[in-house]
């Protein structure tokens, strides 16, 4: 009984000590003073080895927990403004640039994408908003402006083709193997919307579904997604959110009068 009384007194004293109650989470603010090439960060990415990558308007930076290693055009980047990263099944870290060119790092060295010239010619003044490399080395990408759609470029021939969606579906999530996925919309795809009981369709390695959008807001688009190892995903298109769980459309909703969703985790 005495031990219980002492413990109770100690506990009462402890919860009344200033600073012992709810604590603010600890964080570190990294800037150019710590070694970053720029304070303007477009993307932050953790690779399979645990390195943290930063995409900036002055190249890229890799953080190992102790310091930053920076890379620019002097190290092989095809442009110093980098918007995002992707790690393929071979653990190469790919980068997408402001000029819609791509490059990748392998064994500490940066290489340009072999089909940069044809990719840039195809996109013109448009540029890539999302991309992925499949296990065969083929490129899949979606642009940020019309014509929207999911495009495929073969790694050997460099030929670019558009992924055709079934009538009535205007959004797709494609599984590329190795738990790699890419999502896109094709607002030019025609046909009546899918019926409520068949709002989502799984064919091969593609999930197709229908989203409602305002044509007046389609000068640009923003597609983002989060995906888990069970095949469930959350897909965002501008202000729209779609959740697919266990192969079924769980819910769709829209953030009215808000800016587009910028990222999902």
């Amino acid at each position: 009984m005495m031990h219980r009384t002492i413990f109770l007194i100690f506990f009462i004293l402890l919860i009344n000590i200033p600073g012992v109650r709810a604590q603010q989470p600890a964080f570190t603010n990294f800037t150019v003073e710590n070694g970053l090439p720029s304070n303007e960060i477009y993307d932050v990415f953790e690779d399979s080895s645990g390195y943290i990558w930063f995409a900036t308007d002055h190249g890229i930076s890799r953080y190992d927990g102790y310091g930053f290693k920076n890379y620019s055009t002097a190290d092989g980047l095809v442009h110093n403004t980098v918007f995002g990263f992707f790690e393929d099944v071979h653990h190469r870290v790919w980068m997408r640039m402001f000029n819609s060119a791509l490059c990748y790092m392998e064994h500490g060295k940066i290489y340009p994408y072999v089909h940069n010239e044809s990719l840039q010619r195809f996109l013109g003044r448009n540029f890539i908003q999302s991309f992925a490399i499949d296990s065969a080395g083929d490129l899949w990408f979606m642009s940020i402006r019309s014509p929207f759609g999911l495009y495929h470029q073969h790694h050997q021939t460099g030929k670019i083709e558009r992924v055709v969606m079934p009538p009535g579906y205007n959004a797709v999530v494609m599984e590329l193997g190795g738990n790699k996925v890419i999502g896109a919309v094709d607002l030019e795809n025609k046909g009546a919307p899918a019926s409520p009981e068949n709002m989502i369709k799984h064919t091969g390695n593609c999930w197709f579904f229908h989203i409602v959008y305002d044509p007046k807001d389609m000068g640009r688009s923003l597609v983002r997604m989060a995906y888990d190892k069970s095949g469930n995903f959350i897909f965002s298109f501008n202000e729209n959110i779609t959740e697919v769980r266990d192969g079924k459309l769980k819910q769709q909703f829209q953030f009215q009068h808000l800016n587009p969703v910028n990222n999902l985790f």
Side-chain angles (χ1 to χ4, degrees):
M1 186 66 181
M2 179 63 69
H3 290 296
R4 184 175 300 176
T5 303
I6 294 173
F7 174 77
L8 181 60
I9 294 172
F10 174 76
F11 179 73
I12 294 173
L13 289 172
L14 184 65
I15 63 175
N16 283 282
I17 295 174
V20 174
R21 297 183 183 182
Q23 300 291 311
Q24 292 294 322
F27 66 91
T28 301
N29 181 26
F30 291 117
T31 69
V32 292
E33 296 179 357
N34 305 105
L36 281 171
S38 171
N39 289 332
E40 190 166 328
I41 308 296
Y42 299 121
D43 192 23
V44 180
F45 167 75
E46 182 179 4
D47 68 18
S48 58
S49 298
Y51 291 109
I52 306 296
W53 297 81
F54 299 87
T56 83
D57 61 337
H58 283 74
I60 61 172
S61 187
R62 190 186 74 176
Y63 181 64
D64 62 4
Y66 301 96
F68 296 90
K69 171 65 175 176
N70 299 328
Y71 303 87
S72 67
T73 52
D75 304 293
L77 289 179
V78 295
H79 200 285
N80 273 332
T81 301
V82 181
F83 285 143
F85 300 101
F86 177 83
E87 183 178 6
D88 66 18
V89 295
H90 304 293
H91 305 296
R92 297 177 295 182
V93 176
W94 290 76
M95 295 144 268
R96 60 182 177 95
M97 315 294 174
F98 175 78
N99 61 353
S100 286
L102 304 174
C103 57
Y104 63 92
M105 178 173 285
E106 186 174 27
H107 305 307
K109 187 175 180 180
I110 298 174
Y111 300 90
Y113 175 51
V114 66
H115 295 300
N116 270 337
E117 185 177 343
S118 61
L119 180 63
Q120 291 173 298
R121 188 168 55 248
F122 174 82
L123 287 166
R125 296 180 63 84
N126 206 337
F127 58 94
I128 294 173
Q129 70 150 298
S130 60
F131 77 104
I133 308 294
D134 66 18
S135 56
D138 291 357
L139 169 67
W140 303 83
F141 66 93
M142 178 185 170
S143 63
I144 202 166
R145 297 185 183 93
S146 182
F148 304 121
L150 180 60
Y151 295 91
H152 168 229
Q153 185 171 37
H154 195 277
H155 74 285
Q156 291 181 338
T157 65
K159 183 179 179 181
I160 297 176
E161 298 176 315
R162 192 172 187 167
V163 175
V164 178
M165 299 190 190
Y169 298 90
N170 56 20
V172 59
V173 170
M174 175 174 283
E175 300 163 319
L176 301 174
N179 201 34
K180 306 295 183 183
V181 296
I182 186 171
V185 298
D186 186 346
L187 304 181
E188 296 180 3
N189 194 51
K190 306 301 180 183
S195 59
E197 64 273 10
N198 190 30
M199 283 292 291
I200 191 158
K201 180 177 183 179
H202 187 245
T203 303
N205 61 339
C206 291
W207 297 92
F208 297 103
F209 49 98
H210 183 84
I211 54 174
V212 179
Y213 61 94
D214 187 346
K216 299 193 299 294
D217 298 332
M218 293 304 105
R220 299 177 64 175
S221 72
L222 197 60
V223 167
R224 294 292 184 261
M225 62 174 296
Y227 178 88
D228 68 22
K229 294 181 179 180
S230 300
N232 304 315
F233 61 85
I234 298 176
F235 177 95
S236 71
F237 169 68
N238 290 350
E239 300 86 4
N240 299 271
I241 297 287
T242 300
E243 181 183 6
V244 173
R245 183 168 296 278
D246 299 326
K248 297 180 180 180
L249 184 64
K250 184 175 181 180
Q251 60 180 333
Q252 286 186 311
F253 55 93
Q254 187 176 40
F255 294 108
Q256 297 288 344
H257 311 301
L258 291 178
N259 290 327
V261 175
N262 189 59
N263 233 322
L264 293 170
F265 297 93

